[in-house]
Amino acid sequence: FFSKAMNLSILATILPLGYLLQVAPIQGFVSQQRINRRVASTKNELSGLGPLQYSIFGRRNNDHVPLSSSSELKFPEYHLHPTKEDSIELAEGQRLVCIGDIHGDSKALRSSLELAGLCDENSAWIGGNSILVQCGDVLDRGSEELACYSLLAKLSQEAAKEGGKVICLYGNHEALNAMGLFSYATSDKEYEQEVGPAVDEAMNTKEWRKQYVGNQPARWAAWEPQGLLARQLMANMKIAVKVGKTVCVHAGLTKDHLDKYGGIKSMNRKAKEWITGSSGVKFNNKGEYDTVSEAWVEAEARQSTYIDMAPKFLDGGIGSTSPIWMRSYSSPGDQPPTDPKAQSMIDGVLEALDCDRMVMGHTVQREINCALQGKAWRVDVGMSRGVVDGTPEVLEIAMQDGQEVVSVLNAADGRIEGSERHIMALVNLF
């Protein structure tokens, strides 16, 4: 029922249907208010791109390769140094530093890094052989996402030269962005400054945006599987990592996760294969379609393919039990978990991994704290201005005289013994 005379700007009027369809199987993220805002912004964004290009002979000069195939679109400033190991020993005198959710706030990230003694005021690595684990959710809710990843990538290169490591974990928001689900994204200004113009120049056209049908094209082009930041950044991120007697993950791990998905090494490998592997998606970098409906259908197929091909441990939504979505160990914030199975679950997985503790983000706490008999360290303090503008804190685990010493670092109190941040469950004595 679409006429070939339709201009691409008309596509904005059908975007609500696409946004309603796109949330399955991850439900409940798209409000009508956000749909209305997206339609309005899409009309403005696409109005200058011109009408769809038609030919009586069908599509012309179609380009089916990913944008990342261009030699001009490598974005080296986001190259995260790879950490091949999934299990790392902590040497005498070495530190593990864990930082929680950043959510697009570069000021909060810098404050955390300086607090931990990993980065100086000139953004140079000063952490020696320290191991930094950022526990996911750099994306969404803030407007400086690329700046955060650029800094982490730079530090990862510098740390590697000194025997240190910078390891970034997948959070649920990284997975959402890769799938083209942007209900938590607050701004695309960075992407239209850093990514969009670079693609325009490399492609010698702005028409590549049409294949994303107004769904934040520069952002999606950056994060989608085989996207512009897939190989140099996301391929080098992990679902979980073990450092010494500590396992780090965004939301949590269970013994069932290990059994079902083949362990940490297998999950990390499968996440890398998904974000870098060929998916059979149709790329149309010339933006040449025979009908408006064709652009729409292909964009929805693109998104559905990414979601369907994603490893099951990236599945999510409210109430999900996946490693990047579960809240059994972290909720409610600043209190003992209410899940009656939480203690037995964390006991079981830590025993299987030969670990003493698990570090996680995902659920905002007033301050870094530890629950479940000293085994669940919750490090998301909502430090982003897009969350609660919480006071930055970091978790430090240092190997001293053969023992792992746990501390919390903050600007006001310096180093706080980990035992002072334990949250004890109330026991019914009657």
Side-chain angles (χ1 to χ4, degrees):
F1 62 95
F2 290 97
S3 165
K4 286 189 177 182
M6 294 178 70
N7 185 283
L8 185 60
S9 61
I10 299 176
L11 190 60
T13 65
I14 61 175
L15 278 179
L17 294 175
Y19 269 85
L20 290 174
L21 288 171
Q22 76 169 18
V23 299
I26 303 177
Q27 299 287 340
F29 295 118
V30 185
S31 68
Q32 187 61 49
Q33 183 181 18
R34 184 166 182 80
I35 289 171
N36 293 340
R37 290 201 304 268
R38 181 62 62 224
V39 170
S41 66
T42 301
K43 288 178 178 178
N44 293 332
E45 175 188 349
L46 299 182
S47 60
L49 292 183
L52 291 168
Q53 303 300 309
Y54 300 115
S55 166
I56 60 173
F57 302 108
R59 184 181 295 173
R60 298 173 290 126
N61 301 319
N62 191 24
D63 187 356
H64 287 290
V65 300
L67 291 169
S68 57
S69 298
S70 170
S71 60
E72 301 175 50
L73 295 172
K74 297 308 178 187
F75 296 97
E77 63 270 35
Y78 302 107
H79 183 199
L80 184 71
H81 193 277
T83 297
K84 296 181 179 179
E85 308 96 322
D86 300 299
S87 179
I88 305 166
E89 293 299 319
L90 200 59
E92 182 65 31
Q94 193 173 27
R95 298 189 304 152
L96 165 64
V97 175
C98 301
I99 295 179
D101 305 31
I102 300 299
H103 283 303
D105 191 328
S106 62
K107 180 181 178 181
L109 174 59
R110 288 176 184 275
S111 296
S112 299
L113 293 168
E114 292 176 11
L115 181 63
L118 298 178
C119 175
D120 66 15
E121 59 184 12
N122 297 315
S123 301
W125 178 262
I126 57 172
N129 69 346
S130 297
I131 299 171
L132 167 64
V133 177
Q134 195 288 314
C135 293
D137 278 9
V138 171
L139 297 183
D140 289 342
R141 303 191 189 278
S143 60
E144 299 156 350
E145 301 153 295
L146 293 177
C148 289
Y149 270 128
S150 177
L151 176 57
L152 289 167
K154 172 183 177 294
L155 293 175
S156 76
Q157 301 294 333
E158 296 174 1
K161 296 176 182 177
E162 298 186 31
K165 297 181 184 295
V166 174
I167 301 170
C168 294
L169 303 183
Y170 267 86
N172 56 311
H173 287 268
E174 280 71 43
L176 287 171
N177 274 258
M179 295 173 185
L181 297 164
F182 303 134
S183 358
Y184 296 107
T186 58
S187 172
D188 277 357
K189 182 178 180 180
E190 268 190 318
Y191 298 90
E192 289 302 336
Q193 289 178 339
E194 303 294 330
V195 177
V199 180
D200 294 344
E201 183 175 355
M203 296 291 105
N204 196 31
T205 180
K206 294 184 178 182
E207 303 297 293
W208 61 272
R209 287 174 164 83
K210 290 180 179 178
Q211 65 189 308
Y212 297 97
V213 292
N215 191 19
Q216 298 173 252
R219 174 183 287 271
W220 200 7
W223 299 117
E224 68 180 330
Q226 294 184 276
L228 296 170
L229 300 182
R231 288 196 175 275
Q232 62 271 55
L233 176 57
M234 296 193 76
N236 297 324
M237 294 166 60
K238 296 179 181 292
I239 299 299
V241 65
K242 178 184 174 185
V243 182
K245 291 287 188 178
T246 304
V247 61
C248 303
V249 64
H250 178 61
L253 283 174
T254 67
K255 180 66 164 51
D256 185 56
H257 292 151
L258 303 183
D259 295 340
K260 186 180 296 185
Y261 305 124
I264 290 175
K265 182 176 183 179
S266 175
M267 286 190 282
N268 289 339
R269 175 179 55 80
K270 290 174 182 176
K272 181 175 182 176
E273 290 173 350
W274 173 65
I275 204 66
T276 60
S278 176
S279 60
V281 161
K282 287 185 178 182
F283 295 93
N284 188 343
N285 300 328
K286 303 286 187 181
E288 296 174 343
Y289 295 97
D290 293 330
T291 63
V292 173
S293 61
E294 182 184 2
W296 180 36
V297 168
E298 286 192 8
E300 287 195 331
R302 180 197 209 101
Q303 185 173 66
S304 296
T305 298
Y306 293 153
I307 293 173
D308 292 344
M309 293 186 69
K312 293 302 180 184
F313 51 78
L314 293 178
D315 280 355
I318 306 303
S320 169
T321 58
S322 83
I324 63 170
W325 280 96
M326 67 178 290
R327 298 189 190 271
S328 293
Y329 307 143
S330 60
S331 180
D334 304 303
Q335 299 178 45
T338 54
D339 187 331
K341 297 181 180 179
Q343 189 69 60
S344 62
M345 288 194 301
I346 201 168
D347 289 345
V349 70
L350 291 180
E351 181 180 3
L353 293 170
D354 188 26
C355 286
D356 293 337
R357 66 193 69 83
M358 183 182 299
V359 176
M360 68 209 69
H362 191 47
T363 302
V364 175
Q365 317 287 324
R366 182 177 56 84
E367 60 184 17
I368 289 178
N369 62 72
C370 185
L372 301 176
Q373 300 177 14
K375 296 181 179 180
W377 280 96
R378 293 100 64 93
V379 299
D380 177 8
V381 293
M383 68 179 80
S384 170
R385 286 165 287 179
V387 183
V388 297
D389 197 16
T391 302
E393 292 191 333
V394 302
L395 185 71
E396 176 194 77
I397 300 164
M399 181 65 79
Q400 299 177 5
D401 298 324
Q403 300 293 319
E404 293 186 352
V405 178
V406 183
S407 305
V408 175
L409 308 180
N410 70 24
D413 302 312
R415 180 173 279 102
I416 303 165
E417 288 188 14
S419 59
E420 296 184 24
R421 290 294 182 87
H422 283 208
I423 294 175
M424 307 302 294
L426 297 176
V427 178
N428 188 350
L429 301 177
F430 302 97

